[in-house]
Amino acid sequence: MDFGTIRERMVDYLQGQGIDAQCAYPEMSRVRRDGAVAAVSLRACQGGPEGFRDYLGERYDQESGQWQELYGRKIVLTFGLDLYAPQGCGAAGIQETFDRMAEALQREGPPGLTLQELSCGETEFDQGAGLYHRAVEAVCRGYLYAVAQEGGTFLDFIVRGESRI
């Protein structure tokens, strides 16, 4: 799993809550929308020292018929959830979307992540783009863990919530 997948997980969660969202900096051309949209980016990832030295235990893998060792650590991810809206939607549309997003993130949040902090700036109008904009950040907590084969080779890493390891 790469960090782009983590962004996509947040986009999927927001869309499932009825909030128009897309990954920031899409490879495709931007589509003009009638309402507010959240542009999701990953601004920071903090997880302590390098490596997976924190042993979490073992699990039995049914497919391989072998025991696998788990290593991991807590991580803190800072998402950019910047809101953009056309003139017709305006600052009121930005505020309505922010309120729905805040409620959705407080209620449950994306799988494997727990919201710690949500903050936003003021809504401003960008003359060049012709859009209203409000910077939004969400700080989420989870676990980054890896599975090791016999001999210590790591297979993959996964982001999980605290209660799912």
Side-chain angles (χ1 to χ4, degrees):
M1 173 186 301
D2 61 22
F3 286 105
T5 304
I6 294 170
R7 270 186 327 165
E8 290 168 9
R9 210 187 266 184
M10 178 63 85
V11 167
D12 291 343
Y13 174 75
L14 292 173
Q15 288 176 345
Q17 301 301 308
I19 298 162
D20 191 3
Q22 73 174 37
C23 288
Y25 320 111
E27 292 183 18
M28 60 191 174
S29 62
R30 292 183 183 170
V31 176
R32 274 296 222 216
R33 291 171 156 78
D34 294 330
V37 62
V40 178
S41 62
L42 187 60
R43 293 188 177 154
C45 176
Q46 299 171 325
E50 294 179 17
F52 289 96
R53 62 174 172 70
D54 300 338
Y55 182 71
L56 298 174
E58 293 182 325
R59 74 171 180 195
Y60 186 73
D61 180 31
Q62 296 283 346
E63 286 184 29
S64 69
Q66 296 179 353
W67 284 93
Q68 298 175 330
E69 293 181 330
L70 300 177
Y71 295 83
R73 63 184 54 246
K74 285 184 180 182
I75 60 168
V76 177
L77 301 168
T78 302
F79 288 94
L81 303 175
D82 292 353
L83 295 172
Y84 294 90
Q87 286 182 343
C89 181
I94 293 258
Q95 184 62 50
E96 178 190 334
T97 302
F98 176 76
D99 292 345
R100 285 188 297 129
M101 185 166 48
E103 187 177 307
L105 290 169
Q106 289 289 338
R107 184 177 50 244
E108 184 179 8
L113 298 174
T114 303
L115 180 70
Q116 288 199 276
E117 182 181 325
L118 182 66
S119 61
C120 70
E122 296 292 321
T123 299
E124 299 173 347
F125 186 72
D126 180 342
Q127 290 283 51
L131 297 170
Y132 284 91
H133 171 251
R134 178 184 284 185
V136 178
E137 279 193 350
V139 179
C140 299
R141 182 182 72 238
Y143 277 91
L144 184 65
Y145 82 91
V147 177
Q149 284 182 318
E150 244 179 87
T153 304
F154 289 116
L155 302 176
D156 196 4
F157 72 87
I158 302 169
V159 175
R160 294 281 188 188
E162 289 187 19
S163 62
R164 297 184 184 187
I165 291 182

